[in-house]
Amino acid sequence: MQRLTCSITIAVSLAAGARASSADSFEPGFIEVSGNWGLQFGTLPYLPDAVPGKTKQPLANGWGAGATAGLALVPDLAVFVDYRYGTAGTRHGELTGALTDVQGTIRFHAFTAGLRIARELGPGRFFAQLGVGAVLPFHTTITLVYAPELAAIAITGTGVQRDEYNVGYGAQGALGYHEDLGPSVYLGVDLRLETFESSNNGRDTVFSNFVTDFTVQRPAPISTTLHHSTTDAVPPTNYSIQDVRIEVSLGYGF
């Protein structure tokens, strides 16, 4: 009986010590800065591949940066707010005798908020997070660089098509690992997926010296603005930002 009492006393003391240690190391808040790179799967047209009638996959990719701040509810669960700046550009296309370069690009700013869970393992912790949010108004750009041969029909220089879009709504999720570098400082790597849906209802498509059709006998560039609306002749369309990115972050708990 005395041994049992002693064993119970030791177990309770160890458990209390573990809880105290966990409480002592518990950091209620964190901030992180990050950089990322990955693929963007939006509504992207295929690119001309030198020969008329031949095209290739755009394979849009790009870099980004961001910042995250969070507040722990309990040691393994936190709420967070997140800002991301993202870029992406397609591969370069060309059309012999007409275009020396074709490329599409996008830039966007997104804000999300959600929950992060973590589990201690080794010198750090695995974590997973899920958030919802919005992307601010953004635009996509298609740039054409005309071949010297087109100068004979008064097409020279560069043509640009700029498509404007509204605020979009969506979600993001991430799965990764944070390794402790020292007291309160950690380095992280994760795989992030995000998607935001937007439309150009009430927005413009702007053409500047842009040739829309090279299949006609005598193509000509246009410079004009089209307004998209459910009540106008030019109806609106949707656009979806869909990213898969590898992210590296540096964090500080406080």
Side-chain angles (χ1 to χ4, degrees):
M1 184 66 177
Q2 185 177 4
R3 290 182 179 178
L4 178 60
T5 303
C6 182
S7 298
I8 293 174
T9 301
I10 293 173
V12 170
S13 298
L14 290 174
R19 286 195 298 269
S21 175
S22 177
D24 290 342
S25 63
F26 176 56
E27 296 172 334
F30 61 87
I31 55 174
E32 298 167 0
V33 293
S34 60
N36 60 67
W37 180 89
L39 300 175
Q40 206 273 109
F41 303 97
T43 310
L44 302 173
Y46 272 56
L47 299 169
D49 190 14
V51 181
K54 184 180 179 182
T55 59
K56 62 183 178 181
Q57 165 64 246
L59 292 177
N61 64 86
W63 61 273
T68 305
L71 182 65
L73 304 176
V74 294
D76 294 331
L77 180 65
V79 294
F80 72 88
V81 292
D82 182 272
Y83 162 74
R84 284 293 177 274
Y85 170 67
T87 72
T90 67
R91 291 194 294 175
H92 293 269
E94 63 176 312
L95 185 60
T96 303
L99 299 169
T100 59
D101 189 32
V102 183
Q103 188 183 36
T105 58
I106 185 175
R107 307 284 186 272
F108 62 90
H109 302 266
F111 292 88
T112 55
L115 293 174
R116 173 184 292 184
I117 59 174
R119 183 168 183 86
E120 299 287 337
L121 184 65
R125 67 207 62 82
F126 279 103
F127 76 95
Q129 68 183 41
L130 181 65
V132 295
V135 61
L136 299 184
F138 63 95
H139 67 271
T140 62
T141 303
I142 299 175
T143 303
L144 310 179
V145 179
Y146 301 120
E149 293 89 330
L150 293 184
I153 54 174
I155 301 177
T156 60
T158 300
V160 176
Q161 176 182 334
R162 174 186 167 118
D163 291 284
E164 301 172 347
Y165 292 91
N166 296 305
V167 171
Y169 300 96
Q172 59 99 332
L175 180 66
Y177 187 79
H178 288 149
E179 181 174 353
D180 294 327
L181 299 180
S184 303
V185 179
Y186 56 88
L187 181 68
V189 61
D190 64 83
L191 180 66
R192 170 184 292 264
L193 292 82
E194 59 187 0
T195 179
F196 299 95
E197 186 79 15
S198 180
S199 81
N200 61 359
N201 187 26
R203 308 287 288 185
D204 296 331
T205 295
V206 181
F207 296 96
S208 179
N209 193 39
F210 193 87
V211 176
T212 59
D213 189 357
F214 282 96
T215 63
V216 297
Q217 185 174 3
R218 189 178 177 86
I222 61 172
S223 295
T224 189
T225 298
L226 301 180
H227 185 72
H228 300 271
S229 170
T230 55
T231 58
D232 287 339
V234 184
T237 59
N238 290 333
Y239 186 88
S240 180
I241 295 174
Q242 301 175 36
D243 272 357
V244 178
R245 296 179 181 250
I246 296 174
E247 181 173 66
V248 177
S249 60
L250 182 65
Y252 175 76
F254 57 88

